[in-house]
Amino acid sequence: MSASASEQDCVFCAITRGDIPSDRVYSDDQVVAFRDINPQAPAHLLVAPRRHVASIDQLRDDEALLGRVMSVAVRVAQAEDLAESGYRLATNHGRDGAQTVPHLHVHVLGGRALRGRLG
Ligand code: AMP
């Protein structure tokens, strides 16, 4: 099956394939986790499915993959030793959601006291 135009142009598809480098902390057959290139906190990682999905809005009915991504996000947060102090999981969809990379990813943020308000 040939890749769609969006997959060919997608930076996170390239990262999950290993075609462009990333600081990878976890990978399995469905999901990859890597450090954000522009961290907003001492720990800032991204968890993305290997399959190209534009955002969580397109994954509504795929509970298995949704669960997998969230489960890996928690695993990554724990591996970063964030469980005791706390962490935030966040995912953005679309323009008003401030999504900049149109391939689903969950941010794992921690290592400092995050502000209580979102946005
Ligand atoms: P969002 O605004 O939710 O779409 O978040 C996209 C995130 O991807 C931002 O935090 C960027 O810093 C991060 N990012 C963009 N390109 C890369 C890259 N090549 N490697 C790691 N993180 C990246």
Side-chain angles (χ1 to χ4, degrees), residues 12 15 34-38 46 92 98-101 105 107:
F12 285 4
I15 284 178
F34 50 95
R35 293 191 192 281
D36 197 292
I37 204 168
N38 182 23
L46 304 172
N92 299 325
Q99 183 179 12
T100 59
V101 176
H105 51 281
H107 297 257

Side-chain angles (χ1 to χ4, degrees), residues 95-114:
R95 185 193 61 225
D96 283 359
Q99 183 179 12
T100 59
V101 176
H103 177 128
L104 170 65
H105 51 281
V106 170
H107 297 257
V108 180
L109 290 151
R112 68 167 169 83
L114 299 167

